Amino acid sequence: MFGSRLSIYFNGTPTIRISYINRLSLQSSSLAARCLHTTPVLCAEPLKKKKKLDPQIIKQREDRKKKKIEKQIRRLERNARQLKPVEELEMPLDLIDNKAKRERKLTPLSSAEVEQRALLKKQWAHYKHDEKVADFQIIDRLLQTQNKALEELRRESEELYQAAIEVDMKLLPVALKGPVATPPIKNYVSPDGDYIHQSMKWE
């Protein structure tokens, strides 16, 4: 500080003495913190005058918006069931033109033949079901036998049990060794890398 005798003059008259500032600085910091307040910067502008519009014009604008939304809804409803075509699944035009030539004229099946085929399908389904159940029973029986044998082995020796449950990496001794890269082609001119993107876009 400069001392207690220094004064600040405004228009030739002393206004604040530094001694007063010294006394204020000795007050507690909490009191000073309570006395200081900051306010946020508020930016504002005068309100714009609302133009008085004719109610008929407002109604026309609302009607236009409503018609536009209704038109979009009708368009969506019309194209709701239309799916995007898949080029790979489309039938070529030459096959469509030659459909009459390629179509086979088969004699209709009699009712006895239809019943016989349905009976054969049922018998085949029963046979495959019984075969599947038998396979599951064999697998369950083998697993139960294996678990029982492992339990008996563990009672005899823990080392033999750990050796028995280890994964045998040499069970399928297959080793494949081949070229790691494509062999070079003589007098091959590599392309520049340009291509034409021909996939179609559907909106």
Side-chain angles (χ1 to χ4, degrees):
M1 299 301 294
F2 297 104
S4 60
R5 296 181 181 178
L6 185 60
S7 301
I8 298 175
Y9 289 87
F10 183 74
N11 292 333
T13 59
T15 56
I16 302 174
R17 290 186 177 275
I18 297 300
S19 58
Y20 298 146
I21 298 175
N22 290 339
R23 292 176 193 170
L24 290 173
S25 63
L26 294 176
Q27 294 179 357
S28 62
S29 59
S30 62
L31 180 61
R34 285 198 301 268
C35 294
L36 289 175
H37 298 284
T38 58
T39 57
V41 179
L42 300 177
C43 300
E45 59 178 320
L47 297 175
K48 294 182 179 178
K49 293 183 179 179
K50 293 184 178 180
K51 296 181 180 179
K52 292 182 179 180
L53 295 176
D54 189 6
Q56 189 70 20
I57 297 175
I58 297 173
K59 187 178 179 181
Q60 289 177 359
R61 289 181 181 176
E62 291 178 355
D63 291 341
R64 270 195 234 109
K65 289 181 181 179
K66 188 175 179 181
K67 287 180 181 179
K68 188 176 181 181
I69 294 172
E70 289 177 354
K71 185 178 179 182
Q72 292 177 354
I73 291 173
R74 285 197 302 271
R75 187 185 303 166
L76 291 174
E77 288 177 351
R78 187 169 58 251
N79 299 329
R81 298 183 181 179
Q82 185 177 357
L83 302 177
K84 293 181 180 179
V86 181
E87 296 179 1
E88 291 81 4
L89 300 180
E90 287 184 352
M91 188 179 295
L93 295 176
D94 55 349
L95 292 180
I96 296 174
D97 296 337
N98 300 330
K99 182 181 178 181
K101 297 179 182 179
R102 293 175 175 269
E103 191 173 3
R104 297 179 182 179
K105 296 180 180 179
L106 301 176
T107 57
L109 297 175
S110 61
S111 59
E113 183 69 22
V114 173
E115 290 180 1
Q116 185 182 1
R117 291 190 180 188
L119 183 61
L120 285 174
K121 285 183 180 179
K122 289 181 180 179
Q123 291 177 355
W124 177 252
H126 285 302
Y127 171 76
K128 295 301 289 183
H129 174 71
D130 295 339
E131 185 182 19
K132 190 174 182 180
V133 170
D135 290 342
F136 284 160
Q137 289 176 353
I138 293 171
I139 292 171
D140 291 341
R141 188 164 59 250
L142 291 175
L143 287 175
Q144 290 176 2
T145 307
Q146 183 183 19
N147 292 333
K148 187 177 180 180
L150 288 174
E151 289 176 2
E152 293 294 334
L153 181 63
R154 193 168 194 176
R155 291 175 186 171
E156 294 293 331
S157 173
E158 182 69 25
E159 295 179 359
L160 294 175
Y161 171 76
Q162 295 296 334
I165 63 174
E166 281 183 359
V167 180
D168 188 5
M169 302 304 294
K170 297 181 181 179
L171 186 63
L172 296 174
V174 178
L176 301 175
K177 188 176 181 181
V180 296
T182 306
I185 302 174
K186 293 182 179 180
N187 301 324
Y188 176 73
V189 180
S190 62
D192 294 335
D194 298 334
Y195 66 95
I196 300 173
H197 191 66
Q198 294 181 346
S199 59
M200 299 180 68
K201 294 182 179 180
W202 303 92
E203 297 180 356

